[in-house]
Amino acid sequence: MDYAPGTVVVFGGDEEVTISTQSHDPSVAGVVSTDPGFLMNSELEEGVSIALQGRVPCRVQGPVKKGDRLVASEIPGVAQRLVMMHYQPGCIIG
């Protein structure tokens, strides 16, 4: 599956990862990378480069400011600022 760079993805669905659709989803895998420094499982033909740490462009619905923690939003593949009353362990992207 082709995902645009910066798309938020979660583990599961029809593939190993699928586009996020649930706000504060604890099964978040990461963000589709534009320039991976290290590519695990590079022999896979249909793989997706997912950033697990570092600075990566990410699709976000605002308002967001420097230092905000990001989580998946209800908008498919888009992040949002963490709302603490909806926090679940594992939901933070970065």
Side-chain angles (χ1 to χ4, degrees), residues 23-24 69-72 80-88 91-92:
S23 178
H24 294 71
R69 289 167 284 181
L70 299 179
V71 297
Q80 69 178 35
R81 184 179 66 208
L82 169 68
V83 176
M84 280 305 294
M85 65 186 246
H86 298 297
Y87 172 78
Q88 299 180 61
C91 74
I92 295 177

Side-chain angles (χ1 to χ4, degrees), residues 31-65:
V31 178
V32 176
S33 177
T34 55
D35 186 23
F38 176 75
L39 192 57
M40 295 172 52
N41 299 321
S42 58
E43 68 279 356
L44 295 176
E45 293 179 22
E46 298 292 322
V48 177
S49 301
I50 300 172
L52 302 176
Q53 67 180 29
R55 291 183 179 203
V56 178
C58 182
R59 298 176 57 210
V60 178
Q61 70 165 345
V64 175
K65 64 183 186 305

Side-chain angles (χ1 to χ4, degrees), residues 9-34:
V9 292
V10 295
F11 292 110
D14 294 335
E15 304 291 331
E16 297 238 0
V17 293
T18 54
I19 196 164
S20 65
T21 59
Q22 178 184 336
S23 178
H24 294 71
D25 192 337
S27 62
V28 68
V31 178
V32 176
S33 177
T34 55

